[in-house]
Amino acid sequence: MNQDYTPLTICTVSRAFLLVFLSKADMIESDNTVQLHSVSESFPLPLVVRIKKYIRVPYQAVVLTRQNLFKRDNGECQYCGSKEDLTMDHLIPRSKGGQTTWKNLVTACKTCNSKKGDLSPEEAGLRLARKPYRPSFVTYLKSTLRMRKEWDPYLMTAVA
Ligand SMILES: [Zn+2]
């Protein structure tokens, strides 16, 4: 985490340990059931560290790709929840001036997408599971497979 407790990144244990060891970061959460050993000492495994000096980070935009869109939508059709045959669906169809933006795109299965065709979701009688949004970098931190429950409280505060 940054000095102000905003999440920065997920790093390796050795990097986190080194930052603490060199007094560049404070250990905020550790796993005391696992010990790291040096020749003469042992240390708890760092889980969350906070660097001591604030780093200015530019806003990290998530690139709009098919894969990132599916990730934002948990790999589910936003109309029926299917996880099969996923496509990108423009809420306002391109033929009606709809743009390729985070807020105009949702994950839809082939069936729902063709049912919707050139209509708006309302016109096609489809209901969205949730409003599409531009995901933040933290959304993607949260979707990593190596997520640990100890990180939850620190990521919660960062959700915009
Ligand atoms: Zn569907």
PDB file of all heavy atoms in Angstrom, residues 77-82 108-113, ligand 1:
ATOM      1  N   CYS A  77     -23.082 -13.556 -18.655  1.00  0.00           N
ATOM      2  CA  CYS A  77     -23.996 -12.757 -19.462  1.00  0.00           C
ATOM      3  C   CYS A  77     -24.760 -11.853 -18.504  1.00  0.00           C
ATOM      4  O   CYS A  77     -25.297 -12.321 -17.502  1.00  0.00           O
ATOM      5  CB  CYS A  77     -24.962 -13.671 -20.214  1.00  0.00           C
ATOM      6  SG  CYS A  77     -26.303 -12.773 -21.021  1.00  0.00           S
ATOM      7  N   GLN A  78     -24.785 -10.553 -18.782  1.00  0.00           N
ATOM      8  CA  GLN A  78     -25.431  -9.610 -17.871  1.00  0.00           C
ATOM      9  C   GLN A  78     -26.955  -9.611 -17.992  1.00  0.00           C
ATOM     10  O   GLN A  78     -27.644  -8.904 -17.275  1.00  0.00           O
ATOM     11  CB  GLN A  78     -24.875  -8.200 -18.100  1.00  0.00           C
ATOM     12  CG  GLN A  78     -23.405  -8.090 -17.735  1.00  0.00           C
ATOM     13  CD  GLN A  78     -23.144  -8.398 -16.260  1.00  0.00           C
ATOM     14  OE1 GLN A  78     -23.505  -7.630 -15.377  1.00  0.00           O
ATOM     15  NE2 GLN A  78     -22.553  -9.561 -15.976  1.00  0.00           N
ATOM     16  N   TYR A  79     -27.467 -10.433 -18.886  1.00  0.00           N
ATOM     17  CA  TYR A  79     -28.924 -10.539 -19.018  1.00  0.00           C
ATOM     18  C   TYR A  79     -29.449 -11.828 -18.392  1.00  0.00           C
ATOM     19  O   TYR A  79     -30.426 -11.817 -17.671  1.00  0.00           O
ATOM     20  CB  TYR A  79     -29.334 -10.477 -20.494  1.00  0.00           C
ATOM     21  CG  TYR A  79     -28.914  -9.188 -21.176  1.00  0.00           C
ATOM     22  CD1 TYR A  79     -27.985  -9.196 -22.212  1.00  0.00           C
ATOM     23  CD2 TYR A  79     -29.450  -7.964 -20.772  1.00  0.00           C
ATOM     24  CE1 TYR A  79     -27.596  -8.014 -22.833  1.00  0.00           C
ATOM     25  CE2 TYR A  79     -29.060  -6.777 -21.384  1.00  0.00           C
ATOM     26  CZ  TYR A  79     -28.142  -6.806 -22.412  1.00  0.00           C
ATOM     27  OH  TYR A  79     -27.751  -5.639 -23.012  1.00  0.00           O
ATOM     28  N   CYS A  80     -28.785 -12.948 -18.671  1.00  0.00           N
ATOM     29  CA  CYS A  80     -29.319 -14.224 -18.173  1.00  0.00           C
ATOM     30  C   CYS A  80     -28.367 -14.987 -17.249  1.00  0.00           C
ATOM     31  O   CYS A  80     -28.747 -15.995 -16.676  1.00  0.00           O
ATOM     32  CB  CYS A  80     -29.719 -15.124 -19.346  1.00  0.00           C
ATOM     33  SG  CYS A  80     -28.307 -15.836 -20.202  1.00  0.00           S
ATOM     34  N   GLY A  81     -27.124 -14.509 -17.106  1.00  0.00           N
ATOM     35  CA  GLY A  81     -26.191 -15.166 -16.187  1.00  0.00           C
ATOM     36  C   GLY A  81     -25.421 -16.327 -16.786  1.00  0.00           C
ATOM     37  O   GLY A  81     -24.597 -16.935 -16.104  1.00  0.00           O
ATOM     38  N   SER A  82     -25.666 -16.634 -18.066  1.00  0.00           N
ATOM     39  CA  SER A  82     -24.961 -17.740 -18.698  1.00  0.00           C
ATOM     40  C   SER A  82     -23.458 -17.458 -18.795  1.00  0.00           C
ATOM     41  O   SER A  82     -23.037 -16.308 -18.912  1.00  0.00           O
ATOM     42  CB  SER A  82     -25.537 -17.967 -20.104  1.00  0.00           C
ATOM     43  OG  SER A  82     -24.664 -18.807 -20.849  1.00  0.00           O
ATOM     44  N   ALA A 108     -22.547 -10.336 -22.898  1.00  0.00           N
ATOM     45  CA  ALA A 108     -23.823 -10.993 -23.187  1.00  0.00           C
ATOM     46  C   ALA A 108     -23.547 -12.308 -23.904  1.00  0.00           C
ATOM     47  O   ALA A 108     -22.606 -12.406 -24.690  1.00  0.00           O
ATOM     48  CB  ALA A 108     -24.695 -10.103 -24.062  1.00  0.00           C
ATOM     49  N   CYS A 109     -24.361 -13.308 -23.618  1.00  0.00           N
ATOM     50  CA  CYS A 109     -24.199 -14.572 -24.331  1.00  0.00           C
ATOM     51  C   CYS A 109     -24.748 -14.378 -25.744  1.00  0.00           C
ATOM     52  O   CYS A 109     -25.481 -13.429 -26.009  1.00  0.00           O
ATOM     53  CB  CYS A 109     -24.911 -15.706 -23.598  1.00  0.00           C
ATOM     54  SG  CYS A 109     -26.701 -15.629 -23.693  1.00  0.00           S
ATOM     55  N   LYS A 110     -24.370 -15.287 -26.628  1.00  0.00           N
ATOM     56  CA  LYS A 110     -24.797 -15.176 -28.029  1.00  0.00           C
ATOM     57  C   LYS A 110     -26.312 -15.094 -28.153  1.00  0.00           C
ATOM     58  O   LYS A 110     -26.850 -14.298 -28.914  1.00  0.00           O
ATOM     59  CB  LYS A 110     -24.293 -16.395 -28.812  1.00  0.00           C
ATOM     60  CG  LYS A 110     -23.114 -16.069 -29.684  1.00  0.00           C
ATOM     61  CD  LYS A 110     -22.738 -17.266 -30.538  1.00  0.00           C
ATOM     62  CE  LYS A 110     -21.335 -17.056 -31.093  1.00  0.00           C
ATOM     63  NZ  LYS A 110     -20.661 -18.321 -31.379  1.00  0.00           N
ATOM     64  N   THR A 111     -27.016 -15.927 -27.366  1.00  0.00           N
ATOM     65  CA  THR A 111     -28.476 -15.978 -27.436  1.00  0.00           C
ATOM     66  C   THR A 111     -29.101 -14.630 -27.090  1.00  0.00           C
ATOM     67  O   THR A 111     -29.932 -14.114 -27.846  1.00  0.00           O
ATOM     68  CB  THR A 111     -29.016 -17.061 -26.472  1.00  0.00           C
ATOM     69  OG1 THR A 111     -28.231 -18.238 -26.638  1.00  0.00           O
ATOM     70  CG2 THR A 111     -30.478 -17.371 -26.733  1.00  0.00           C
ATOM     71  N   CYS A 112     -28.673 -14.053 -25.944  1.00  0.00           N
ATOM     72  CA  CYS A 112     -29.229 -12.754 -25.539  1.00  0.00           C
ATOM     73  C   CYS A 112     -28.830 -11.660 -26.523  1.00  0.00           C
ATOM     74  O   CYS A 112     -29.635 -10.790 -26.840  1.00  0.00           O
ATOM     75  CB  CYS A 112     -28.779 -12.382 -24.133  1.00  0.00           C
ATOM     76  SG  CYS A 112     -29.503 -13.423 -22.850  1.00  0.00           S
ATOM     77  N   ASN A 113     -27.587 -11.727 -26.995  1.00  0.00           N
ATOM     78  CA  ASN A 113     -27.108 -10.704 -27.920  1.00  0.00           C
ATOM     79  C   ASN A 113     -27.930 -10.705 -29.204  1.00  0.00           C
ATOM     80  O   ASN A 113     -28.333  -9.648 -29.697  1.00  0.00           O
ATOM     81  CB  ASN A 113     -25.615 -10.907 -28.225  1.00  0.00           C
ATOM     82  CG  ASN A 113     -24.946  -9.628 -28.734  1.00  0.00           C
ATOM     83  OD1 ASN A 113     -25.613  -8.730 -29.207  1.00  0.00           O
ATOM     84  ND2 ASN A 113     -23.628  -9.571 -28.626  1.00  0.00           N
TER      85      ASN A 113
HETATM   86 ZN    ZN B   1     -27.662 -14.452 -21.945  1.00  0.00          ZN
END
